[in-house]
Amino acid sequence: MIEFLTHINPGFLLVIVGIIGCFTPVKRVRQALMVATPVVAMILLAMADRGINLSTTAVLDIELVLYKVDSLNFIFGLAFLLAAFLNAIYALHTDDRLQDGMALTYAGAAVSATFAGDLMTLFIFWEITAVSSVFLILRARTKAAYQAAMRYLGIQILSGVLLLDGLAYVYKSAGSLRFDEIGTFLSFEDPGAKYVFAAFAIKAAFPFLHNWLQDAYPKATVVGAVVLSAFTTKLAVYAFARMFPGFEILIWIGAIMTVFPVFFAVIENDLRKVLSYSLNNQLGFMICAVGIGTPLALNGAAAHAFAHIIYKGLLFMSIGAVLYRVGTTKASELGGLWRSMPWTTIFCIIGAVSISAFPLFSGFVAKSMTMSAVAKEGYVIIWLMLLFASAGVLEHSGIKIPYFTFFGHDTGHRPKEAPFNMLLAMGLAAAICIAIGLPAFAPGFGYDWLYGLLPCTAAVGSAVCEVSGKAVVSYEPYTLEHILTQMQLLMAALLAFILLKRFGLYPAEKPGTILDTDWFYRRWGYGLAKWSGQVWGKAGPAMTGVAGNAGGRVFDRLEEAFSPRGALAKGALTSGMALWSAVLLGVVMLVVLLSS
């Protein structure tokens, strides 16, 4: 029985239990299932054999690999399961069957897609992530959330359609959809590569395709935003690492992704939207590393994704706790909360220093690998862009989030501390941020545990590393050079913030909506829709009347000809039509028979 379970994709378990949870009215039973299922799934994953197809099936002569574990998807899958476990604990104070069930289903779809061994299985769960995650926005039950959810769903379904188009081309050219037979895309010569790339780009929130993230995440429920931050975009990073390692254009796209969100995050007032821009920024580091494609860079992308899922979730949890107690995440309406929410303040600071890559925290041991990989390959401009982006991370996520939420100007709010289950989830996430950031004083301790899971380590081989044709490498983050470089950068950014605040040059936190590339559809699109509505309001009745009259005349003629009372139903013509219809049908059947 145990052997049978270890051959089942653990994501399937989460999806099934998540659906069951939607129909489980007893709160304690449902929440016990939500918390226990990811734990069971992690145990099954740990017992699974790596490098072989554990579960396969055939549908319409297409071989589907439903479950395959290797060193690349193992670390992503483990991070997703950890996030699902923490998210379930964080949601224990709520009693929302649909939210609980869809959150676990969403996590399960992401896990299932990660362990898929072929493009078709990936596509199926790619779409399930889109459908299940939209409920986490809808459950906010506001008009803005509904509108954002519809926009979000549309763009996510578009990603799925593009992926389906791409896999059709791939199947035609390669005759298979299995990753181990397709290999990786090294150019756009295969038309399928373009469609697959575009599908991944949407979910990874590439520049000009990113607005669904800042539009939807801040409007989700308190729990929903935490859940959303973990899965969709990191699934896209995994997909790029699986199919596009060493794809050079990703280097520049990733670098641009790290830089542009900094400017918007600085002036944004909604702190959940600040975290959404910060999420864009962090994705850029991972995408850039995938584009470099060397073993060190791929290790950096995987390590960064793992660490990011935890510390970004921690930051969304802390701001979510503030939203739950105060009712707002506007920086202009917050401040002084450390007095009544001390534990939430501490956990938020741990998340902030982790994302800022302070030594002794998870971000340092992950991000430094990407920076080293970029420098080693000689990309000077890219390295400078990432360096600037690293300073920006400290400013908008490391300083702005905790400062304006818990310190800054005191607005007089004195809410209760977050519920115990929220504190427990935040405490566990904070502990992970610290544990994997510590120096490796012993084997399996500190960052050595995380590095042992990476796809291009000496202990565990990986298909993507073998494709790169280069030897696996080891890495030591705690060198004097790395520590001094990072601390100089962090202190310079901190000093800049202090001076800007001291001389009144830091942008004031003001209510309002900050638009970036969504300006085109929010302003132009809205204007076009409004103009079209006005035109239709004036010309519509007349056009409808003309069309109705013309349609009526056409219908009358058709009825006159073909109805039982019509001319074609009278006399010998009826039997003649029946005879010729039979002859034509026979000819068609003969042609089909001869051509088969």
Side-chain angles (χ1 to χ4, degrees):
M1 181 63 179
I2 297 298
E3 183 178 357
F4 170 75
L5 291 176
T6 58
H7 284 70
I8 296 178
N9 190 323
F12 296 179
L13 180 64
L14 270 66
V15 171
I16 293 171
V17 175
I19 294 173
I20 293 173
C22 294
F23 302 96
T24 304
V26 182
K27 178 181 177 180
R28 292 184 181 275
V29 174
R30 182 179 68 253
Q31 292 180 334
L33 288 173
M34 300 300 109
V35 174
T37 303
V39 176
V40 174
M42 282 187 275
I43 295 173
L44 296 178
L45 175 60
M47 298 171 62
D49 295 326
R50 300 194 195 183
I52 62 173
N53 297 332
L54 296 171
S55 178
T56 62
T57 188
V59 178
L60 299 176
D61 295 328
I62 299 176
E63 183 180 8
L64 304 183
V65 182
L66 303 178
Y67 189 30
K68 183 175 182 178
V69 182
D70 62 21
S71 56
L72 176 62
N73 59 20
F74 181 87
I75 186 170
F76 280 88
L78 179 60
F80 288 156
L81 291 172
L82 278 172
F85 172 69
L86 296 175
N87 295 342
I89 295 175
Y90 187 79
L92 288 177
H93 65 285
T94 65
D95 187 10
D96 189 329
R97 286 186 293 170
L98 189 58
Q99 178 175 264
D100 291 344
M102 286 296 102
L104 193 63
T105 301
Y106 172 40
V111 173
S112 300
T114 302
F115 292 121
D118 67 278
L119 266 176
M120 180 59 76
T121 305
L122 174 66
F123 160 74
I124 293 170
F125 290 102
W126 194 267
E127 289 294 77
I128 294 176
T129 61
V131 175
S132 56
S133 60
V134 74
F135 289 97
L136 303 175
I137 308 167
L138 290 170
R139 296 306 286 175
R141 297 184 178 90
T142 64
K143 182 179 179 181
Y146 172 79
Q147 294 171 339
M150 293 302 100
R151 293 189 291 267
Y152 170 89
L153 183 61
I155 195 70
Q156 297 300 314
I157 294 298
L158 173 62
S159 173
V161 171
L162 290 171
L163 181 56
L164 183 61
D165 289 343
L167 69 86
Y169 276 105
V170 171
Y171 186 73
K172 180 179 179 181
S173 60
S176 175
L177 294 175
R178 288 173 46 174
F179 293 136
D180 54 3
E181 295 183 359
I182 297 171
T184 58
F185 292 119
L186 301 178
S187 70
F188 284 136
E189 291 182 4
D190 186 340
K194 299 177 183 178
Y195 287 101
V196 173
F197 186 93
F200 294 172
I202 289 174
K203 288 232 182 204
F206 276 14
F208 301 106
L209 302 174
H210 66 281
N211 293 122
W212 60 266
L213 198 158
Q214 288 80 23
D215 182 27
Y217 286 18
K219 298 180 180 68
T221 65
V222 170
V223 173
V226 177
V227 178
L228 289 167
S229 71
F231 302 108
T232 295
T233 51
K234 264 65 71 181
L235 175 59
V237 170
Y238 161 75
F240 271 116
R242 172 64 68 188
M243 304 204 68
F244 292 93
F247 209 75
E248 190 170 5
I249 192 175
L250 292 176
I251 301 173
W252 292 96
I253 292 175
I256 293 171
M257 287 176 69
T258 65
V259 172
F260 85 85
V262 172
F263 302 99
F264 293 103
V266 168
I267 59 177
E268 178 58 53
N269 187 45
D270 186 336
L271 295 180
R272 289 210 294 182
K273 199 168 183 179
V274 172
L275 288 176
S276 299
Y277 276 116
S278 174
L279 202 161
N280 259 131
N281 164 278
Q282 296 291 289
L283 290 169
F285 283 92
M286 304 173 211
I287 294 298
C288 185
V290 172
I292 296 292
T294 62
L296 178 60
L298 291 173
N299 278 351
H304 200 157
F306 186 97
H308 178 266
I309 287 171
I310 304 302
Y311 62 61
K312 182 62 70 175
L314 175 56
L315 287 169
F316 268 103
M317 286 179 189
S318 59
I319 297 302
V322 170
L323 176 62
Y324 180 72
R325 287 305 194 196
V326 181
T328 183
T329 57
K330 305 293 185 181
S332 57
E333 302 174 15
L334 297 174
L337 296 181
W338 67 271
R339 301 175 186 276
S340 57
M341 302 182 73
W343 284 107
T344 303
T345 304
I346 293 172
F347 294 141
C348 182
I349 291 174
I350 292 175
V353 295
S354 296
I355 196 174
S356 302
F358 271 85
L360 303 181
F361 294 89
S362 58
F364 177 77
V365 302
K367 190 182 297 181
S368 60
M369 298 180 75
T370 297
M371 298 294 291
S372 296
V374 171
K376 186 176 180 180
E377 297 304 311
Y379 290 97
V380 178
I381 296 177
I382 299 296
W383 188 84
L384 291 174
M385 293 173 71
L386 299 188
L387 194 68
F388 168 80
S390 297
V393 171
L394 173 64
E395 194 288 322
H396 60 66
S397 291
I399 299 175
K400 180 174 181 174
I401 292 293
Y403 178 79
F404 285 103
T405 305
F406 300 101
F407 305 100
H409 52 280
D410 192 341
T411 54
H413 292 297
R414 293 295 182 269
K416 294 180 180 179
E417 181 57 278
F420 174 75
N421 65 287
M422 282 186 165
L423 294 178
L424 178 60
M426 287 188 280
L428 291 173
I432 296 173
C433 290
I434 296 172
I436 63 178
L438 294 175
F441 297 120
F445 184 85
Y447 71 82
D448 188 64
W449 177 83
L450 176 62
Y451 284 8
L453 301 176
L454 298 180
C456 302
T457 62
V460 182
S462 171
V464 293
C465 295
E466 293 167 4
V467 169
S468 71
K470 299 181 180 180
V472 294
V473 294
S474 59
Y475 182 76
E476 172 54 56
Y478 282 101
T479 64
L480 183 61
E481 178 185 2
H482 290 153
I483 295 174
L484 289 179
T485 300
Q486 186 65 12
M487 290 306 298
Q488 287 173 350
L489 175 69
L490 294 172
M491 292 303 103
L494 181 60
L495 178 62
F497 176 81
I498 294 173
L499 292 177
L500 289 173
K501 288 294 294 181
R502 175 65 179 82
F503 294 104
L505 300 176
Y506 192 87
E509 305 305 309
K510 298 179 180 179
T513 300
I514 305 298
L515 301 181
D516 52 73
T517 56
D518 58 345
W519 180 87
F520 290 100
Y521 65 80
R522 285 188 180 240
R523 291 292 173 86
W524 285 9
Y526 175 75
L528 179 61
K530 186 176 181 180
W531 175 81
S532 300
Q534 292 173 346
V535 170
W536 179 255
K538 296 178 180 180
M543 294 173 64
T544 302
V546 172
N549 293 334
R553 289 195 294 271
V554 171
F555 179 79
D556 291 341
R557 296 294 179 86
L558 291 174
E559 183 182 32
E560 180 182 349
F562 294 103
S563 73
R565 302 181 302 277
L568 295 181
K570 298 177 181 178
L573 186 60
T574 304
S575 58
M577 289 182 65
L579 176 62
W580 281 109
S581 298
V583 171
L584 290 174
L585 179 60
V587 171
V588 171
M589 294 180 65
L590 180 61
V591 171
V592 172
L593 178 64
L594 293 176
S595 62
S596 61

